[in-house]
Amino acid sequence: MSPSVPSRSARRRAAGTLCVLLAVGVVITGLVQAAPSATPRAIDPRIAAVMRKPDYRHAQWGLFRQDPRTGKVTESRYADQFFIPGSAAKLFSVSGTWHTLGSDHRFVTPVHAVGQRRNATLKGDLDLVAQGDLTLGGRTRKDGTVAFTTIDHTYANDVPGATLTPENPLAGIDQLARQVRQSGIRRVDGDVVVDARLFQPDPGLDPVPTPLIINDNVIDLLTTPGAEAGTPAGLEWRPKVAPYHVTSSVRTVAAGKPSDINVSSSPDGTRIQLSGTIAADSAPVLRVSTVKDPNAFGRTALIEALQRAGVEVRAKAVGRNPVRQLPRTYQGAPTVARYTSPAYAQYAELILKVSHNLGANLGICLMATSTGSTNCNDGFPVLAKFLEHAQVDRKAVQLADGRGGNPADRATPRAMAQILTYWQRTPEARRFRTSLPILGVDGTLADSCRSCPSRGKVFAKTGTAAGGDLLNDRLAVGAETTAGYLETRKGHFDVFFAGVNGAATPTADITGVLTIANDVADVAAYLQQQAAGGH
């Protein structure tokens, strides 16, 4: 479904949050039009034709291709100049987290019984100790893998076509509640407390990671058209946790008319209102609303799950998380439930495939906790040490977050090739490579080049940084990038970068950004075909 052109006022509201796939709407300044870092051979005429498009009149393109086995560089254009990477920066943060935790690391979230047990009654509290589990079972399939869609629900307010996975977002919480009952507890004469002391949420990371995350800290809001124009639209939402309440005044309009659905909420986020229109022939439209207090939300969710499991809790379900009741240690407090996550490599695949911003930022905090720190910023020295270990020129990378959304974030094409080359030297080369979006197959590259010869032969992380150019009533695309692997022959992969900084769309229609993304994907495909000997 193609999005309609939003009104100027709607574009103004969206200008600061557009973040398409996304880094952040940033102002592009000081792009150095230096000479290419090496004298390039003649550029493939198909690539040159893309670069000459009007959208790129004032833009800078970068290209890099290298054989990681021999070190031979076969394509180099501005390879040592800083580019805004957008979400391609996740190559660094996810790699650092993967290396720090280990691909098979599993998050084990326990619930402790703090107090005295008298038969089936706990005279005390149940404490859920958050461990930084990104999904807490909310995306886990029966086979233990982590589910994702082409456009993730976390992008629903910015990118058309976002959809939900079918898994229950409260699955991990429900499992914990059932285990509490299986432990023999039938009544809690105390409270339920979320222990979120693993790390301190850092507002400098956007979105802000929290030790307890349920459904990516959002409420899903799915609107479906009514039977005919003029009738109320249908609404489904999840997860249903008190005191969250959703109402909708969305009306169905005639087929072919624009769908325009807006979300607002009360200051505490618990009262959510949808308004606007949805076309009679529209597919369901997804929106999300932020959970403002993840700990209070999680506490209530667990109390309600305990009640469903047959465990009575004396404390009121709705209320602030009573952190002052947390003990200094859990020594002597038995574990009555624990939820074990899938392996971190599964989470890395989710983060890389759909460009999951919260998960990438969470990695910075998890690297910090590996040193015993609760300060997320202490994750950056861990990442820096890893990059040196991986033989990445650290001075060719600038990062102030994990997702590639901070205006300070920069990386050179050669540095991105270096992190990709590192993985090729490890036993987990294939596991990492297939965690990236695959051209024409899945992730953020699923809809590009579906029938071209390079389908399934390009494995790459994409990145976008875009925002509203209100002066010219269009979108400024600070960055559209991709970096990864080109299969040149069976079992052999070159590393590459292809990207453009400083592009612009003809109008304010978001599809213009997607067109630029497709151009970059096409350039990657042409590089692959050239490397494989096809023209």
Side-chain angles (χ1 to χ4, degrees):
M1 180 180 68
S2 298
S4 59
V5 179
S7 67
R8 183 181 293 270
S9 60
R11 291 196 299 274
R12 185 178 297 276
R13 291 193 302 270
T17 58
L18 184 57
C19 305
V20 191
L21 296 175
L22 299 191
V24 66
V26 294
V27 178
I28 311 304
T29 59
L31 282 179
V32 180
Q33 295 292 335
S37 56
T39 302
R41 66 180 183 179
I43 294 177
D44 186 306
R46 297 169 296 181
I47 295 175
V50 172
M51 292 180 174
R52 288 195 297 265
K53 287 186 176 183
D55 289 347
Y56 311 121
R57 179 182 176 187
H58 303 294
Q60 174 171 290
W61 279 87
L63 296 174
F64 190 79
R65 178 163 65 88
Q66 184 179 32
D67 185 331
R69 293 183 181 177
T70 66
K72 181 180 179 181
V73 175
T74 50
E75 196 78 56
S76 180
R77 180 180 176 86
Y78 301 112
D80 296 300
Q81 301 297 310
F82 270 138
F83 278 75
I84 298 169
S87 285
K90 292 181 175 71
L91 289 170
F92 301 109
S93 60
V94 172
S95 294
T97 310
W98 187 317
H99 178 265
T100 301
L101 299 180
S103 59
D104 293 325
H105 173 81
R106 296 176 188 269
F107 301 88
V108 181
T109 302
V111 175
H112 292 281
V114 181
Q116 298 296 318
R117 287 278 296 271
R118 294 183 181 176
N119 299 321
T121 298
L122 172 64
K123 298 287 187 178
D125 299 336
L126 286 176
D127 290 3
L128 183 156
V129 185
Q131 298 294 310
D133 186 333
L134 179 58
T135 74
L136 200 60
R139 293 178 184 255
T140 305
R141 302 184 182 101
K142 291 182 179 180
D143 63 359
T145 59
V146 173
F148 58 86
T149 60
T150 297
I151 302 178
D152 193 64
H153 73 143
T154 54
Y155 286 114
N157 292 353
D158 300 311
V159 183
T163 54
L164 295 172
T165 62
E167 285 72 26
N168 175 11
L170 296 176
I173 294 293
D174 284 339
Q175 187 177 128
L176 288 170
R178 290 193 295 268
Q179 288 183 34
V180 170
R181 190 180 193 283
Q182 290 165 6
S183 76
I185 296 175
R186 299 291 186 272
R187 176 180 170 86
V188 178
D189 280 347
D191 213 324
V192 171
V193 192
V194 171
D195 185 342
R197 294 178 290 187
L198 182 68
F199 60 81
Q200 295 298 317
D202 185 348
L205 298 173
D206 180 21
V208 179
T210 51
L212 180 68
I213 298 171
I214 298 174
N215 200 44
D216 299 311
N217 291 341
V218 299
I219 303 294
D220 297 316
L221 312 160
L222 191 66
T223 299
T224 54
E228 59 185 13
T231 60
L235 171 67
E236 297 178 23
W237 62 281
R238 69 175 202 182
K240 288 185 170 66
V241 174
Y244 282 75
H245 182 69
V246 183
T247 57
S248 174
S249 61
V250 177
R251 306 291 294 182
T252 308
V253 295
K257 287 197 172 184
S259 297
D260 185 11
I261 299 174
N262 300 303
V263 180
S264 60
S265 67
S266 58
D268 67 356
T270 64
R271 293 292 180 267
I272 302 168
Q273 171 69 41
L274 283 79
S275 61
T277 59
I278 184 169
D281 59 345
S282 172
V285 174
L286 181 65
R287 294 288 185 266
V288 295
S289 185
T290 302
V291 171
K292 301 290 181 67
D293 188 341
N295 296 332
F297 183 85
R299 171 186 175 273
T300 299
L302 182 53
I303 291 175
E304 292 179 341
L306 288 164
Q307 292 169 344
R308 290 193 295 270
V311 178
E312 180 185 355
V313 179
R314 188 181 68 176
K316 292 182 179 179
V318 175
R320 297 178 64 86
N321 184 44
V323 293
R324 292 184 179 180
Q325 296 173 206
L326 290 172
R328 286 197 294 179
T329 176
Y330 288 103
Q331 185 174 357
T335 300
V336 293
R338 57 169 56 88
Y339 178 79
T340 302
S341 77
Y344 177 75
Q346 281 289 314
Y347 285 175
E349 180 175 2
L350 166 67
I351 296 166
L352 294 169
K353 291 286 190 187
V354 308
S355 206
H356 197 282
N357 291 325
L358 180 62
N361 279 346
L362 176 63
I364 301 296
C365 300
L366 294 175
M367 282 186 278
T369 65
S370 74
T371 70
S373 173
T374 61
N375 184 341
C376 290
N377 280 338
D378 287 336
F380 289 104
V382 178
L383 178 56
K385 185 176 181 180
F386 160 71
L387 292 179
E388 291 174 351
H389 164 76
Q391 299 180 31
V392 174
D393 180 1
R394 183 152 61 92
K395 300 299 183 182
V397 182
Q398 296 178 177
L399 289 178
D401 65 3
R403 61 172 278 207
N406 190 286
D409 293 347
R410 297 288 189 278
T412 69
R414 193 184 304 274
M416 283 188 263
Q418 287 169 344
I419 191 62
L420 293 161
T421 297
Y422 160 78
W423 283 106
Q424 286 295 91
R425 301 193 299 261
T426 73
E428 296 188 301
R430 182 182 183 278
R431 196 172 191 179
F432 180 80
R433 183 177 64 251
T434 56
S435 294
L436 299 172
I438 303 174
L439 186 67
V441 176
D442 64 18
T444 54
L445 288 173
D447 294 327
S448 299
C449 208
R450 283 193 166 186
S451 59
C452 77
S454 298
R455 182 180 186 272
K457 299 176 182 178
V458 177
F459 307 76
K461 183 70 196 76
T462 60
T464 307
D469 175 5
L470 300 180
L471 177 66
N472 296 294
D473 197 24
R474 62 182 182 178
L475 299 177
V477 185
E480 189 64 56
T481 60
T482 185
Y485 303 97
L486 308 170
E487 186 173 13
T488 60
R489 60 182 183 274
K490 187 173 179 61
H492 188 279
F493 301 88
D494 281 3
V495 295
F496 85 99
F497 168 88
V500 60
N501 275 187
T505 61
T507 70
D509 191 332
I510 195 174
T511 55
V513 179
L514 304 181
T515 297
I516 293 173
N518 283 330
D519 281 347
V520 173
D522 286 345
V523 169
Y526 297 146
L527 286 173
Q528 187 278 327
Q529 292 163 33
Q530 184 183 61
H535 297 279

